[in-house]
Amino acid sequence: MESLKVYILIANRMYNDGVRSALGLAVENHYGYPVILNGEFPPFSTYMTENMSWIMDMEGQVYSCGAAVPDETYDAELEENLIKEIDLKELGEAMRDADFIIPYGLPKQTNEPPPACAE
């Protein structure tokens, strides 16, 4: 089976499940790249930093697009940050090689869908 490159675009600050989904892909021999958009990072738990470290160990990467990476994600053992900053242009270039792009954690829609989509 061929390994897939999957980018998971996490649109809000509730990033936990999106990062865990990328880790699950990595366990199945795929490459997971969660991208946390819009910043506003909540405090990181030990569990979450371990998950990010495992993604890096499995040749994936957690990205932040649109916000500075907090210092608390620095891993002294790896001597680098667990989250890499990426700008929108670099992200667009990187996603050209993706097999799948998954929008994750989008806020609930406030407008009614058009009649053709409501069925």
Side-chain angles (χ1 to χ4, degrees), residues 8-14 18 102-108:
I8 301 173
L9 305 178
I10 305 167
N12 58 26
R13 56 182 285 186
M14 301 308 294
I102 301 170
Y104 192 91
L106 295 175
K108 185 176 179 180

Side-chain angles (χ1 to χ4, degrees), residues 64-91:
S64 170
C65 184
V69 176
D71 292 335
E72 62 189 282
T73 61
Y74 182 80
D75 188 331
E77 198 172 295
L78 295 172
E79 296 183 358
E80 63 181 308
N81 216 322
L82 296 174
I83 300 176
K84 182 178 177 184
E85 288 184 47
I86 189 170
D87 66 25
L88 196 55
K89 184 176 180 179
E90 292 172 328
L91 178 60

Side-chain angles (χ1 to χ4, degrees), residues 29-89:
N29 293 324
H30 300 297
Y31 299 99
Y33 301 96
V35 182
I36 302 169
L37 304 169
N38 306 331
E40 292 188 38
F41 295 101
F44 288 90
S45 66
T46 304
Y47 174 74
M48 208 57 312
T49 54
E50 286 175 356
N51 285 346
M52 290 183 213
S53 180
W54 288 343
I55 289 172
M56 287 184 67
D57 289 346
M58 296 181 180
E59 299 179 19
Q61 179 65 54
V62 179
Y63 291 108
S64 170
C65 184
V69 176
D71 292 335
E72 62 189 282
T73 61
Y74 182 80
D75 188 331
E77 198 172 295
L78 295 172
E79 296 183 358
E80 63 181 308
N81 216 322
L82 296 174
I83 300 176
K84 182 178 177 184
E85 288 184 47
I86 189 170
D87 66 25
L88 196 55
K89 184 176 180 179

Side-chain angles (χ1 to χ4, degrees), residues 10-26:
I10 305 167
N12 58 26
R13 56 182 285 186
M14 301 308 294
Y15 58 86
N16 296 342
D17 290 337
V19 172
R20 285 192 353 221
S21 296
L23 180 58
L25 288 168

